[in-house]
Amino acid sequence: MKLPIHLSKSSHEPIYHQIEKQIQALIAGGTLPANTPLPSIRVLAKDLEISAITIRRAYQNLEIGGFIRTSQGKGTFVKEIDANLKSKVKTETVNRIIVEAVETAFQYDYTLEEIEDIFHKVIKAYNQKN
């Protein structure tokens, strides 16, 4: 299974953290349900064209956080996470993305009113599409 992970090498956020946060979001959002096997460290490292050490660190953090479990000789699997953790991850993920979008808009010298206008237009377009 190839994970839909997109890395930004220009980001100030470490690569392992980007991977960790994206896998958390995939789990909390239901894209990766409980007991789904994850790619091995080597396979994911090859897919993302990064070091296996980076993937190992992300997987270790995910295991410590209760998102995945590793079974010796069998692989790494998504754990069942409780509703509170799912909600927390969803809220943090959406909040982080909106903060990044607002920061980007301010870097392009948009006013608060212009940012709010863009936000409302995006929501309206999304609602019409769905």
Side-chain angles (χ1 to χ4, degrees):
M1 162 187 239
K2 190 162 182 156
L3 296 178
I5 294 176
H6 306 285
L7 302 176
S8 171
K9 303 210 181 199
S10 64
S11 171
H12 296 294
E13 184 177 31
I15 298 292
Y16 76 90
H17 199 251
Q18 292 179 45
I19 295 165
E20 185 182 338
K21 290 299 179 190
Q22 290 181 51
I23 291 176
Q24 284 178 355
L26 291 168
I27 293 169
T31 301
L32 294 175
N35 300 313
T36 300
L38 295 175
S40 71
I41 290 170
R42 284 190 180 109
V43 168
L44 188 54
K46 185 178 178 189
D47 286 348
L48 298 177
E49 300 178 348
I50 59 173
S51 164
I53 295 167
T54 302
I55 302 298
R56 183 175 290 112
R57 184 167 183 186
Y59 273 20
Q60 286 172 340
N61 289 346
L62 287 164
E63 192 156 16
I64 290 167
F67 290 90
I68 64 174
R69 62 180 165 77
T70 302
S71 180
Q72 193 68 27
K74 294 182 181 178
T76 303
F77 301 88
V78 174
K79 283 181 73 173
E80 183 70 46
I81 62 171
D82 69 34
N84 289 336
L85 184 55
K86 272 186 184 180
S87 179
K88 179 182 175 193
V89 169
K90 286 179 178 182
T91 301
E92 287 176 356
T93 301
V94 171
N95 187 60
R96 179 176 42 85
I97 292 167
I98 291 173
V99 166
E100 288 172 11
V102 170
E103 287 173 350
T104 300
F106 279 128
Q107 288 172 355
Y108 281 110
D109 210 24
Y110 280 91
T111 66
L112 182 57
E113 293 77 21
E114 289 170 324
I115 296 169
E116 288 173 344
D117 186 48
I118 292 168
F119 185 76
H120 289 292
K121 286 178 181 175
V122 167
I123 290 174
K124 185 176 180 180
Y126 180 83
N127 283 335
Q128 290 174 347
K129 186 173 95 174
N130 293 315

